[in-house]
Amino acid sequence: KEEALRPLTSGIMETGMDESGDFKRQVANESLKDPQVQALSQQLKEWINDVLTDDHIVVKNLCEDLSDGQVLSALIEQLAGAKIEHKEVAQSVASQKAKLTEVFIQINHHLQVVEDGIKWNVDNIHNKYLVSVLHLLVALARHYGIQRRLPSFVKINVLQITKATQQTETISEQITGDEEREHYNFAARQQERDVFDTLFDSAPDKLNAVKGSLMAFANKQLAKLDRSCHNIEEDFANGVNLVIMMSLAEGYYVPLYSFSLEPLAYDHKLHNVTLALNLMQEAGIPRPKCTAESIVSKDLKSTLRVLYSIYSKYKHLASRSRDRDVITMEQEPNHHFQSVFSTCSVLLYLRAPCSVLQKDC
């Protein structure tokens, strides 16, 4: 309680700079004392402490404790499974900013924000600028989910000073929107079930048949470059085979400098998988219910979702092949897919209610 009532000005340099350096910004005093701003800061602080419980890290002041990059480094490692190379505590200003730079590369990558949408930077976080700190934490909380419902429509008034003329104007920074809707949308996305959820829960005996069928489809494509896969979880975790399958299916060449052909480091594997997911999206394939991190972590359900999404888009490539051992769900009525994914069409199965799925399985 005592910490919650501590003035927000403690540990804050209330100024920030825009990217051009033409303006200096200062948080208005009334915003620092705004109960909504105080409540948002407190909830974000409690969320960080919950996430970092196993790391024995306790954040007492958001702006102060996040300024050197150490807490942010631990936070993104816990949330996204990212690997930050330099974990030692940075002492000098230069080393702290270098660490923040490394952390932001990871954060911006995982949030998949476009450059124009980034509302934080190294200098402002290091200078403990409240507006940038809150923008960053709200973005992370929304992306990875937060059990608490954040206050809606929180605004911070900022005094913007033009450095050349010293003219001052007040601008309003919107920190949160309709957080009730955001919270509901995230919860709804988490609760959505697909055919693979049902398969794992209700028909685990069919799992090997599905794995074998998708593996055969993948091998038929990879064989064009004398490649093959033997273990779904292992052989797609580094993203190489996924990138190659997309390039073969779409008929283009992916330059070797754009991905790692023999990735060993986690970051290189993550880059490959992210590239493959982006290529799928550009080809018009709906994004599967998975993350790049889950593929790299060898999550079977996520990997099956990705492979099935590729199959659904490019199954015609298999049906055109002269080889009759290629898998085609519609042309092989007795094939394993047919017994698992309904009797007529995979699409009908995907649209069927769970009760039908359980009956079919």
Side-chain angles (χ1 to χ4, degrees), residues 50-74:
D50 287 346
V51 173
L52 299 181
T53 297
D54 292 341
D55 293 317
H56 307 291
I57 293 175
V58 178
V59 171
K60 295 183 178 180
N61 184 288
L62 288 180
C63 294
E64 182 71 34
D65 295 345
L66 271 60
S67 63
D68 64 357
Q70 195 68 22
V71 172
L72 284 173
S73 173

Side-chain angles (χ1 to χ4, degrees), residues 23-253:
F23 302 99
K24 182 172 73 171
R25 291 172 179 155
Q26 179 175 337
V27 178
N29 287 330
E30 65 266 20
S31 290
L32 292 173
K33 300 174 184 178
D34 186 339
Q36 285 283 85
V37 176
Q38 293 276 354
L40 176 63
S41 300
Q42 181 65 22
Q43 289 196 30
L44 290 170
K45 181 170 58 178
E46 291 174 357
W47 172 64
I48 293 173
N49 287 336
D50 287 346
V51 173
L52 299 181
T53 297
D54 292 341
D55 293 317
H56 307 291
I57 293 175
V58 178
V59 171
K60 295 183 178 180
N61 184 288
L62 288 180
C63 294
E64 182 71 34
D65 295 345
L66 271 60
S67 63
D68 64 357
Q70 195 68 22
V71 172
L72 284 173
S73 173
L75 185 63
I76 194 62
E77 285 189 339
Q78 283 287 346
L79 292 173
K83 302 297 181 184
I84 306 297
E85 294 296 328
H86 306 292
K87 294 188 177 182
E88 65 277 3
V89 178
Q91 299 291 345
S92 68
V93 171
S95 60
Q96 289 176 357
K97 288 188 174 182
K99 186 168 188 75
L100 281 170
T101 299
E102 185 180 358
V103 170
F104 283 158
I105 290 173
Q106 291 284 347
I107 288 177
N108 296 341
H109 169 74
H110 288 288
L111 292 182
Q112 296 183 338
V113 288
V114 296
E115 189 171 348
D116 292 344
I118 299 175
K119 299 181 179 180
W120 50 86
N121 59 49
V122 169
D123 288 332
N124 284 349
I125 299 297
H126 189 264
N127 287 340
K128 307 165 190 174
Y129 181 46
L130 177 64
V131 173
S132 292
V133 170
L134 292 181
H135 273 311
L136 172 61
L137 293 179
V138 168
L140 286 168
R142 281 176 175 172
H143 186 79
Y144 290 104
I146 179 172
Q147 297 301 318
R148 302 167 179 81
R149 186 172 299 167
L150 300 176
S152 295
F153 306 112
V154 176
K155 295 182 179 179
I156 293 182
N157 290 329
V158 176
L159 303 178
Q160 180 169 278
I161 305 166
T162 304
K163 294 176 71 175
T165 63
Q166 292 300 302
Q167 290 182 332
T168 302
E169 64 174 326
T170 301
I171 60 175
S172 180
E173 283 275 357
Q174 186 83 42
I175 306 298
T176 65
D178 188 346
E179 296 306 310
E180 183 173 356
R181 176 174 292 182
E182 289 282 348
H183 186 81
Y184 173 82
N185 288 342
F186 181 84
R189 289 196 301 271
Q190 292 299 101
Q191 292 173 5
E192 286 177 356
R193 289 177 58 82
D194 65 5
V195 63
F196 289 101
D197 290 319
T198 304
L199 176 65
F200 273 69
D201 294 344
S202 304
D205 55 309
K206 307 289 186 181
L207 186 57
N208 285 335
V210 173
K211 287 171 62 177
S213 297
L214 288 175
M215 182 107 61
F217 171 76
N219 275 327
K220 197 67 185 179
Q221 308 310 311
L222 293 172
K224 298 171 185 176
L225 291 181
D226 294 325
R227 296 181 66 91
S228 63
C229 59
H230 306 282
N231 183 296
I232 280 190
E233 297 98 313
E234 296 285 343
D235 294 343
F236 294 95
N238 64 15
V240 175
N241 285 332
L242 293 175
V243 171
I244 290 175
M245 286 179 67
M246 285 306 303
S247 69
L248 289 170
E250 285 293 308
Y252 53 66
Y253 172 72

